[in-house]
Amino acid sequence: MSNINIIIEERPANIGNFLVGRLLPFRGKRMVGPFIFIDHMGPALLKEHQNIDVGPHPHIGLSTLTYLFEGSIMHRDTLGTAVEMFPNQVNWMTAGKGIVHSERTPEYLRHSDKRLHGLQIWVALPKELEDMTPAFYHAEADEIPSWETDGVSYKLIAGEAFGHKSPVPVYSKLFLLEIKSPTTQTISIGDDLFGEVGLYILEGSIESEGNIYEPKRILVAQNSQLCQFTIHANTTIYLFGGEPFPEERFIYWNFVATSQAIIEQAKQDWKEDRFPRIEGETDLVPLPPEIPNVRMKS
C-alpha cells in the first residue's frame, strides 16, 4: 500500500496584479497539521511598470510566514513594523485578535525590472491563542539553523526537527524544513517527524515506491513514520506539517477562526473601520463579496 495519501497540484490564483500557484487549502485536504494556506509566488519577472502593491488588509487567528527565494518585499503593519525582507529571511506575523499589514515593492525598485519568487504560508493558531495580542518577528538568514548530512543540505525555517529548533516563535508543534540535494540520494526521515507531513517539490523531482513526482505539487503522507523517498539530483523540496488541532477551522478571506461567530465579527469590524490603521497608508483592501465560509479540518 502506498504511503502517499493525497497529491495536490498547484492551481492558479489571482491576488490582484499577481498570479500565484495555490497549494492549500485543497478540497480533499484542507489542512496539513496546523498549515492552512500555502501560495507559491512566481517565479516572476516584474517590469519597471509592474509592482507588488497589496494594500492594508486584516488577519485574525493565524500566523503568516513569508519566505523568499528571489526579490524583496516591504512589509508594514499596525504594530509599527517597517521591514524590507530579502531571500532566505523569514517574516513571521502573528495576527491573533487582529492585525493589518501591507506588502509592496520597495520604493527604490519601483521603476526598474525585478524578480520575485517565494512562499506565503498561513499557520492556524491553537484555539486558546486565537485571540492573543498580535506580534511580528523577523529572522535574518544566518539565524535559521542549517546543516548538511551525506551531501544533502537541510534548513529548518520554522519549528523543531532533527534535534534543531528555529528561532521563529511558533505556537504549536510544527516544522517547515528545506531540503536540497545536488546528487541523487535516498532519504529516510520518518523517525524524526511527527503529526501530519506534507512534501512540496519546488524544483527537480523525487521518487517514491516506483513513482516519480515532478515540481509544483504537494504529497501528503499516510504515515509520517514511513517517510522515505529518493531525492533526485538538483532537487529542492519543503517538508511541512505537525500535530493537527482537534477543532475544525473556518476560513473567510484573510480570517481564520474556530467559530463562525468570530469570522462574522471580524468581517463587520473591517467594514466599519474598527481595525487599527497603518500609519501613512490609506488604500484599504475592501472586504470581498460574500462567498460561503469554508470549514477546515485536517
Side-chain angles (χ1 to χ4, degrees):
M1 180 178 177
S2 173
N3 189 42
I4 295 174
N5 186 33
I6 294 174
I7 302 171
I8 303 172
E9 296 190 5
E10 283 187 22
R11 292 95 60 206
N14 198 319
I15 58 169
N17 60 352
F18 197 57
L19 198 65
V20 299
R22 180 134 309 154
L23 290 153
L24 283 181
F26 177 68
R27 64 184 180 276
K29 185 63 177 172
R30 298 297 186 180
M31 297 176 68
V32 176
F35 289 77
I36 195 167
F37 179 98
I38 301 177
D39 267 358
H40 175 207
M41 305 182 293
L45 173 62
L46 302 177
K47 295 294 188 179
E48 58 182 22
H49 61 281
Q50 296 174 309
N51 293 296
I52 299 300
D53 275 309
V54 181
H57 58 283
H59 289 280
I60 65 165
L62 55 82
S63 295
T64 65
L65 187 155
T66 305
Y67 186 74
L68 296 181
F69 312 128
E70 294 181 277
S72 67
I73 293 176
M74 188 69 195
H75 166 99
R76 291 185 174 87
D77 63 39
T78 45
L79 299 175
T81 309
V83 61
E84 181 181 358
M85 76 169 304
F86 296 94
N88 302 310
Q89 299 176 344
V90 177
N91 272 5
W92 176 263
M93 183 185 75
T94 299
K97 62 185 178 181
I99 196 169
V100 177
H101 75 131
S102 64
E103 297 162 294
R104 303 185 188 274
T105 298
E107 193 62 38
Y108 69 94
L109 292 175
R110 297 183 71 84
H111 302 290
S112 60
D113 293 352
K114 54 265 173 190
R115 296 188 63 82
L116 187 67
H117 190 197
L119 294 174
Q120 288 208 314
I121 296 169
W122 295 359
V123 179
L125 287 168
K127 180 178 173 62
E128 66 273 15
L129 294 176
E130 64 181 340
D131 198 37
M132 68 178 283
T133 300
F136 179 85
Y137 184 86
H138 173 83
E140 296 290 341
D142 60 5
E143 297 178 68
I144 306 302
S146 59
W147 65 97
E148 190 172 296
T149 302
D150 298 327
V152 179
S153 299
Y154 297 82
K155 183 184 296 184
L156 185 61
I157 298 168
E160 297 185 50
F162 299 93
H164 297 270
K165 183 176 182 179
S166 167
V168 174
V170 303
Y171 299 99
S172 63
K173 285 196 67 177
L174 61 86
F175 52 86
L176 174 59
L177 184 73
E178 177 187 87
I179 302 178
K180 291 187 174 187
S181 183
T183 59
T184 297
Q185 301 268 4
T186 296
I187 295 180
S188 182
I189 52 179
D191 291 341
D192 297 284
L193 302 177
F194 54 88
E196 296 185 318
V197 178
L199 186 158
Y200 173 58
I201 306 166
L202 176 70
E203 58 186 1
S205 60
I206 71 159
E207 185 173 346
S208 177
E209 298 159 327
N211 298 306
I212 295 177
Y213 299 97
E214 303 290 343
K216 296 188 176 182
R217 64 198 64 199
I218 286 175
L219 312 179
V220 181
Q222 292 262 28
N223 183 342
S224 64
Q225 301 306 301
L226 300 178
C227 199
Q228 178 176 315
F229 55 90
T230 297
I231 185 169
H232 290 164
N234 303 313
T235 292
T236 301
I237 63 172
Y238 291 84
L239 283 177
F240 65 95
E243 298 295 346
F245 296 129
E247 325 87 3
E248 66 182 353
R249 291 298 186 276
F250 293 81
I251 183 170
Y252 179 91
W253 191 34
N254 304 311
F255 305 140
V256 171
T258 55
S259 79
Q260 179 67 40
I262 295 173
I263 294 283
E264 293 302 323
Q265 184 62 59
K267 288 160 62 176
Q268 199 62 29
D269 287 345
W270 185 246
K271 285 180 183 177
E272 298 181 9
D273 200 18
R274 288 197 288 261
F275 275 82
R277 289 287 194 104
I278 301 173
E279 185 176 353
E281 298 214 30
T282 57
D283 55 332
L284 306 184
V285 177
L287 193 75
E290 290 293 323
I291 55 174
N293 278 279
V294 178
R295 291 184 176 188
M296 300 292 183
K297 194 158 180 68
S298 297

